[in-house]
Amino acid sequence: MSFDLAARLAARRAENLYRQRPLLESPQGPEVVVDGQPLLAFCNNDYLGLANHPQVIEAWRAGASRWGVGGGASHLVIGHSTPHHELEEALADLTGRPRALLFTTGYMANLGAVTALVGQGDTVLEDRLNHASLLDAGLLSGARFNRYLHNDAASLANRLEKATGNTLVVTDGVFSMDGDIADLPALAREAKAKGAWLMVDDAHGFGPLGANGGGIVEHFGLSQEDVPVLVGTLGKAFGTAGAFVAGSEELIESLIQFARPYIYTTSQPPALACATLKSLELLRSEHWRREHLNILIRQFRQGAEQIGLELMDSFTPIQPIMIGDAGRAVRLSQMLRERGLMVTAIRPPTVPAGSARLRVTLTAAHSEAQVQLLLNGLADCFAQLGPEPSHA
């Protein structure tokens, strides 16, 4: 018996689902060089334009001079440095919670939180369109795992009726492929009515959403009682890397004791925490970044609707254009690239079959003129490709 990897790869190519890594040969930003080609990019998650910010770079450089490069050990051994601690305190302050805990990646934060809180005999209920890391965490927890209909509080209530043991309801804050936001007030009501905890992964909400960039919980004015477990990542709007969980004293202490991805991983470089402290300061003080981003989102949606593109119900920086057929989505992405525009085609299994799309992401570093260039390119490419052939 042997693994027939060649056949699996050939099948993926035949289905227009084969993925290749573009090689970025410049820093993140609107204007990049990819595989040797200068492009105007609309596909990164650097929503506030901080990934290449001079002050953030300088904070990292100064942090490395003072604290060295490597974390050296896990947090529980001797890897928990002063910058890590200061960043946790600043993130707790941002979220208005007693404590926050740093993780090396968002995937690990989700895995750590879910598997530390529930196990055999318990229940995890998740939105059908949750990020892969949340779905994997639910499956790996050993708890009874069920998915409710997307953003549907009635569907959640129905599944809560059948839940056993400690019950954790898990949702994305901003759904990464559709750009819509969770109906947190309704989900929180249903969870609280049944004594369940609500966990929100607000990876794409921190920065763009909320009056001070505090994300979806701030956007809706909800409390820690409504959303006991709040997860955020630092590699998107913060422009650096890593993730955190914010919550009560008891929650954070429990994660330190029981979250295996936290316990058994070397801490992130302390200088990275120094850089994130600076980006957090900019995120909170430079409100113009959010305001400019919202202007670009409105500009893009109005322009796309005039062209006749099928958008999704999103007021966030994630603006998907529905295509349907994976091959057609790839062709449109290639045509845009020939015009110097980089927009990624998202295909199954990342999204459901038949819902391939172009995923446009806007950032505060883009200009209105650059968004207009994208709209012009989209109009040209859709006109050239023509209507989708009928399957009747």
Side-chain angles (χ1 to χ4, degrees):
M1 179 182 169
S2 65
F3 294 95
D4 193 352
L5 300 182
R8 289 175 67 185
L9 292 171
R12 180 149 281 211
R13 281 184 200 275
E15 293 160 4
N16 284 310
L17 301 180
Y18 198 81
R19 290 161 168 75
Q20 288 171 292
R21 301 178 299 173
L23 183 61
L24 179 65
E25 298 169 42
S26 63
Q28 285 291 358
E31 294 176 344
V32 294
V33 178
V34 176
D35 297 327
Q37 183 185 4
L39 293 168
L40 181 56
F42 291 91
C43 52
N44 72 42
N45 300 320
D46 180 27
Y47 300 127
L48 296 184
L50 296 175
N52 192 34
H53 193 287
Q55 289 181 44
V56 178
I57 294 168
E58 184 48 43
W60 188 315
R61 191 178 281 126
S65 295
R66 180 168 178 198
W67 300 101
V69 178
S74 67
H75 284 273
L76 287 166
V77 178
I78 196 178
H80 189 63
S81 298
T82 301
H84 298 135
H85 205 72
E86 289 174 350
L87 178 55
E88 288 180 345
E89 289 174 343
L91 290 166
D93 185 60
L94 172 70
T95 57
R97 290 166 184 244
R99 296 275 302 273
L101 189 67
L102 265 183
F103 282 78
T104 308
T105 68
Y107 212 112
M108 288 172 59
N110 285 333
L111 210 56
V114 174
T115 56
L117 291 172
V118 291
Q120 279 195 314
D122 298 326
T123 304
V124 182
L125 300 174
E126 300 208 16
D127 190 292
R128 291 193 73 80
L129 297 187
N130 273 355
H131 188 264
S133 61
L134 294 171
L135 299 174
D136 288 357
L139 290 166
L140 289 167
S141 69
R144 188 172 159 206
F145 176 68
N146 213 308
R147 298 199 283 179
Y148 58 89
L149 297 176
H150 176 52
N151 223 355
D152 188 328
S155 173
L156 171 62
N158 183 38
R159 282 158 177 73
L160 280 165
E161 290 292 340
K162 303 170 188 134
T164 56
N166 291 323
T167 302
L168 189 64
V169 176
V170 185
T171 183
D172 272 314
V174 176
F175 291 90
S176 60
M177 291 301 128
D178 288 13
D180 57 337
I181 70 170
D183 185 359
L184 275 199
L187 299 176
R189 268 196 306 277
E190 298 299 344
K192 281 164 80 175
K194 286 286 183 283
W197 271 23
L198 178 58
M199 171 176 159
V200 177
D201 172 11
D202 202 24
H204 298 270
F206 277 106
L209 297 186
N212 300 296
I216 191 172
V217 172
E218 183 184 39
H219 172 79
F220 281 120
L222 299 178
S223 67
Q224 182 173 293
E225 191 185 341
D226 299 312
V227 182
V229 189
L230 178 57
V231 180
T233 55
L234 305 172
K236 297 180 174 67
F238 288 84
T240 57
F244 65 93
V245 180
S248 67
E249 185 78 33
E250 293 77 17
L251 171 68
I252 300 308
E253 279 302 317
S254 297
L255 294 180
I256 291 170
Q257 301 303 320
F258 303 114
R260 290 167 68 87
Y262 179 81
I263 297 165
Y264 298 108
T265 300
T266 298
S267 65
Q268 63 173 228
L272 172 57
C274 296
T276 306
L277 275 163
K278 175 53 72 174
S279 70
L280 175 54
E281 182 189 310
L282 296 169
L283 179 148
R284 299 189 76 173
S285 64
E286 295 191 346
H287 292 277
W288 67 263
R289 293 179 182 275
R290 264 183 304 287
E291 291 158 10
H292 176 62
L293 182 54
N294 286 326
I295 288 167
L296 298 183
I297 292 166
R298 285 195 295 274
Q299 178 195 356
F300 175 78
R301 288 188 69 82
Q302 286 167 2
E305 281 161 15
Q306 284 167 3
I307 298 167
L309 305 183
E310 186 183 345
L311 298 181
M312 300 187 77
D313 183 21
S314 167
F315 63 85
T316 71
I318 301 166
Q319 292 293 326
I321 302 168
M322 284 300 294
I323 306 299
D325 176 69
R328 189 173 161 85
V330 170
R331 179 75 190 112
L332 278 162
S333 179
Q334 287 168 343
M335 289 167 70
L336 286 165
R337 190 157 169 168
E338 286 159 14
R339 285 166 172 74
L341 297 161
M342 187 168 185
V343 180
T344 308
I346 305 290
R347 298 161 282 166
T350 307
V351 292
S355 72
R357 64 202 62 182
L358 295 179
R359 183 178 181 267
V360 171
T361 54
L362 301 167
T363 78
H366 285 112
S367 67
E368 290 178 58
Q370 288 171 331
V371 172
Q372 190 57 52
L373 283 171
L374 171 64
L375 289 166
N376 296 346
L378 286 166
D380 289 349
C381 291
F382 272 84
Q384 190 178 328
L385 197 62
E388 189 169 3
S390 169
H391 298 294

